[in-house]
Amino acid sequence: MPSSVLKPGATIGILGGGQLGRMLALAAAELGFRCHIYCPEGESPAFDVVAARTVASYDNQRALAAFAGSVDVITYEFENVPAETAAFLDEQARVLPNARALAASQDRLSEKRLMQELGIPVAPFAAIDRQGDLDVALARLGRPSILKTRRFGYDGKGQVAIREGDDAAAAFAAIAGKPAVLEGFVDFTREVSALVVRGRRGEVAVYDIAENAHRNHILATSTVPAAIRPETADEARAIAIRIAEALDYVGLLAVEMFVTESGGEERLLVNEIAPRVHNSGHWTQDGCLVSQFENHIRAIAGWPIGSTERHSDAVMINLIGFEADEWLPLAAEPGARLHLYGKSETRAGRKMGHVNRIYPKR
Amino acid sequence: MPSSVLKPGATIGILGGGQLGRMLALAAAELGFRCHIYCPEGESPAFDVVAARTVASYDNQRALAAFAGSVDVITYEFENVPAETAAFLDEQARVLPNARALAASQDRLSEKRLMQELGIPVAPFAAIDRQGDLDVALARLGRPSILKTRRFGYDGKGQVAIREGDDAAAAFAAIAGKPAVLEGFVDFTREVSALVVRGRRGEVAVYDIAENAHRNHILATSTVPAAIRPETADEARAIAIRIAEALDYVGLLAVEMFVTESGGEERLLVNEIAPRVHNSGHWTQDGCLVSQFENHIRAIAGWPIGSTERHSDAVMINLIGFEADEWLPLAAEPGARLHLYGKSETRAGRKMGHVNRIYPKR
């Protein structure tokens, strides 16, 4: 057995204690692994399902070193792990996915430049470091455009639309003048995502393409199969594999794309990538034999990748904020499986759980 | 909402820390519950996946009281919970399944008498309290017969076959002269099991009937659907429901049955019942949307019962002892899902994990 293969009983370290860390830990347990969650917040949902917990900040080197010494591999549930934290841990333990994937996804500009290098289409964009850049870029890309901070944006945070008549200076002030990217308007018909898993020996598999609908910039539903042409789905898979290979990626990678239509042709543009399990892959828990969570764990453990085949059609519905108060009727719905994250407090906009509705494959 | 319905975030107490407790805890976590495992052994597989643990003996009333005070409902993963333990806990918290189900399943004689009361066929049997009873019973039931202790038998332990020429006194000595039952020989063609789940409001659902194969008295495989006639499967479901209703049962109940054939007719005899999730129901994890584990948790939490519908055909293969050393090739098998229990030590005869092979429904 190659020495990089973790044996059952080994411990997987996970940075972050939210629902993704929790579902990773549950999947790891099914394979006989123990998990150790590292998270700054004492009341983290993932703590309830693991053998070991560390509550400490991401710059606490003593706690990080102890954590690294107690685990056999380290992964993370969110891409905004500080680069210094990842670099520090990387000296003492294997961190997967690798630092390159983290760096590429933490910065919208690096991400877009990577896509360009790979010949993968993205929305027209320009780097914005100062007000002057924005004026020039707006003249080129036109309106509406979207100004997005390069770093730490998620669920619509750190972005502002600039429409006809809007004041560009006000928009730049709205993101506090941070380094940013201006994206030209994309008249897309659908948003889809491809989830690719790549193992330590370079083997890859891709789940069926999901079609995503957002509400208030937060994912509302993912539907599989997506209502796109088979050639478009094939192209989406190929793009995801190309990115995973370019990054020498190990684990589950999510690639969000826009689908545009013109003259009866569908085209794909990559919107963003996430070097982790992803909300648009939650349907795999009940639509496939091996979920995205299990396949991420398999990959980082050096195990063979599990089948990404789909046994059912699926619609994943996020339960945001007080929508999760409907857990009792949701639990009674036939053909649906309810997943709740064990969060102690319900807050508006907080992801509290999801439901997978399952249908026989068409 | 009825007051007996547990809200997400509530804590489920589980007696026993083996693989069944572990898989119950994993299923409970998916519904947003916390779990507290009570188990005398410090190195218990279920401890690795829960928020709270008590290591104490089943007669430690102080520990039991603290446990009961910290949970919202109590269940168990094995039917040999001492009656005094269950009675003590029952005064301080709700214990489900109820004491009647525990009592009926702990004693082979009570179990068989219950079946007789319900008009459900069982193998011919006789109560054996002393050597003289055995001589009389052997004359009536003939040979071969099987002498089984009334209590604490499982996986072939506490039983001895009496064949032509065997010494009856030696057989009685082999079970240490304990109160026993002699069972007449049943020429069965198959062993099947029915898993019924019954909720707090009396609603019931039954999974499709599994066909079981044993090796060295330990379950080796369960195959679904069982190769029995549809009428026989219906009768097996009806029997399981009748038993659950008679016991006013809440939770998942397993009923093991023999199938005999004579003159082209199939008949069912109940072999034994288990008031808990059962090894012959592990296929439900990957063959159904809602597993036996989740449905047990739903039932004791007062939630609606989840669908027991099967989306795939399935074969569950137990990994006994060193069979689990093959985890790497097993993990690579397409169409199969590997489940490992995180047991630190592999021992001959120990259940280490299982594999569910999944096929499109025929």
Side-chain angles (χ1 to χ4, degrees), chain A residues 244-266:
Chain A
E245 289 181 342
L247 293 170
D248 192 20
Y249 194 88
V250 173
L252 192 293
L253 174 76
V255 182
E256 291 188 276
M257 304 177 219
F258 297 128
V259 183
T260 61
E261 277 181 42
S262 152
E265 291 281 299
E266 287 176 347

Side-chain angles (χ1 to χ4, degrees), chain A residues 326-359:
Chain A
E326 294 304 304
W327 53 270
L328 195 54
L330 287 166
E333 206 183 287
R337 180 134 181 259
L338 176 63
H339 299 259
L340 295 173
Y341 306 151
K343 294 186 180 177
S344 46
E345 195 194 342
T346 306
R347 287 199 298 264
R350 195 176 200 199
K351 290 179 178 171
M352 302 300 294
H354 65 274
V355 172
N356 286 328
R357 292 204 181 117
I358 294 298
Y359 308 91

Side-chain angles (χ1 to χ4, degrees), chain A residues 6 8 22 26 29-31 34 48-51 53 289 294 298 303-304 311 327 331 335-337 339-340 358, chain B residues 6 8 22 26 29-31 34 48-51 53 289 294 298 303 311 327-328 331 335-337 339-340 358:
Chain A
L6 297 196
R22 179 178 167 106
L26 293 173
E30 288 283 5
L31 300 177
R34 301 172 81 247
D48 285 347
V49 299
V50 294
R53 306 148 180 85
L289 191 55
E294 177 170 331
R298 281 172 170 255
W303 284 34
H311 59 64
W327 53 270
R337 180 134 181 259
H339 299 259
L340 295 173
I358 294 298
Chain B
L6 297 196
R22 179 178 168 106
L26 293 173
E30 289 283 5
L31 300 177
R34 301 173 80 247
D48 285 348
V49 298
V50 293
R53 305 148 181 85
L289 192 57
E294 178 170 331
R298 282 170 169 257
W303 284 34
H311 58 65
W327 54 270
L328 195 54
R337 181 133 179 260
H339 299 258
L340 294 173
I358 294 298

Side-chain angles (χ1 to χ4, degrees), chain B residues 193 195 206-212 222-225 278-288 290-293 308-317 339 354-358:
Chain B
S193 53
L195 303 173
V206 192
Y207 286 98
D208 281 350
I209 306 303
E211 180 168 340
N212 303 323
S222 293
T223 302
V224 187
H278 194 261
N279 197 164
S280 68
H282 290 1
W283 68 271
T284 60
Q285 291 175 313
D286 299 304
C288 300
V290 179
S291 74
Q292 65 163 346
F293 301 100
T308 52
E309 211 182 307
R310 180 168 57 82
H311 58 65
S312 300
D313 287 358
V315 179
M316 187 287 306
I317 302 110
H339 299 258
H354 66 274
V355 173
N356 286 328
R357 292 203 181 116
I358 294 298

Side-chain angles (χ1 to χ4, degrees), chain A residues 1 7-8, chain B residues 319-331 338 340 345-347 352-353:
Chain A
M1 173 190 332
K7 290 185 190 171
Chain B
L319 301 175
I320 310 288
F322 298 93
E323 289 169 6
D325 290 354
E326 295 304 303
W327 54 270
L328 195 54
L330 288 166
L338 177 63
L340 294 173
E345 196 195 340
T346 306
R347 287 198 298 266
M352 302 299 297

